[in-house]
Amino acid sequence: AQTVTQSQPEMSVQEAETVTLSCTYDTSENNYYLFWYKQPPSRQMILVIRQEAYKQQNATENRFSVNFQKAAKSFSLKISDSQLGDTAMYFCALPTLQGGSEKLVFGKGMKLTVNP
Amino acid sequence: NAGVTQTPKFQVLKTGQSMTLQCAQDMNHNSMYWYRQDPGMGLRLIYYSASEGTTDKGEVPNGYNVSRLNKREFSLRLESAAPSQTSVYFCASSTTGQLTSGNTIYFGEGSWLTVV
């Protein structure tokens, strides 16, 4: 079964610093996607970044980038120049296909606090 | 654009009462999902529907029933609410066959349910 593990329940960082959120996963698929979602205090789920396993180049979206290590099944999120608005829960997610139906498996999340 | 709409946003129930959470999407998506979010547990899939007329159990289906009324609507029913069902519930939708191709899932704003 596909699983997603986020082992750090909580982190804090000072504004303007860089922080890395870790995620490991398990899948039997050869090609797949991985996602990071952000959930601010409003509870809205926002897609931050996605990575295709076949692509060797790590995905980047402005201040957000990933360090994707396929062999190690590791998918960490790096936030550069942290801003107060980055304070949120962050979820790593893996799409799975089971019995012809797709679903999204989430990690338990990590609470990030950016301090002024 | 409404996207995914959930009602109600807040509800307090007494143990043993029943209620239905409503969800509708206007993006012509085939797949719809119900997740619950609890502290330290991430988002766990309750039920999902790959297409109109089909529903499948997710990770935590006990105590819930669902109805895929039509392509737009997917409701979640608690027949006899228990305090363990106190949670935030999220409805989501996606284009079938697209999650594993890198397309995102779209979430509603969440429904806060408290069972006392």
Side-chain angles (χ1 to χ4, degrees), chain A residues 9 17 24-25 30-31 34 41 44-45 47 49 55 57 65-68 71 79 82-83 85 87 98 111 116:
Chain A
E17 289 184 345
T24 59
Y25 62 93
N30 191 37
N31 193 30
L34 290 154
Q44 182 184 5
M45 293 290 286
L47 176 66
I49 199 165
K55 290 188 176 179
Q57 186 174 6
S65 61
V66 302
N67 182 5
F68 175 55
I79 305 175
S82 297
Q83 300 176 358
T87 292
Q98 184 177 354
K111 181 179 180 180

Side-chain angles (χ1 to χ4, degrees), chain B residues 43-57:
Chain B
L43 282 86
R44 293 181 293 171
L45 184 63
I46 305 171
Y47 269 94
Y48 61 104
S49 170
S51 62
E52 184 179 350
T54 67
T55 60
D56 287 290
K57 294 179 180 179

Side-chain angles (χ1 to χ4, degrees), chain A residues 25 32 34 51-53 58 66-70 74-75:
Chain A
Y25 62 93
Y32 47 89
L34 290 154
Q51 173 78 40
E52 183 180 5
N58 289 323
V66 302
N67 182 5
F68 175 55
Q69 304 287 333
K70 189 175 182 180
S74 171
F75 181 58

Side-chain angles (χ1 to χ4, degrees), chain A residues 33 37 39 43 50 102 104, chain B residues 35 37 97 99-100 102 104:
Chain A
Y33 278 81
Y37 285 89
Q39 187 184 47
R43 292 278 185 173
R50 80 192 87 194
E102 288 183 326
L104 202 55
Chain B
Y35 286 89
Q37 182 180 11
L99 280 184
T100 48
T104 187

Side-chain angles (χ1 to χ4, degrees), chain B residues 7 22-25 39-40 52 54-55 63-64 69 73 83 101 106 112-113:
Chain B
T7 56
Q22 306 285 355
C23 175
Q25 52 87 14
E52 184 179 350
T54 67
T55 60
Y64 304 95
L69 304 171
E73 298 173 289
S101 299
Y106 293 85
W112 278 250
L113 177 64

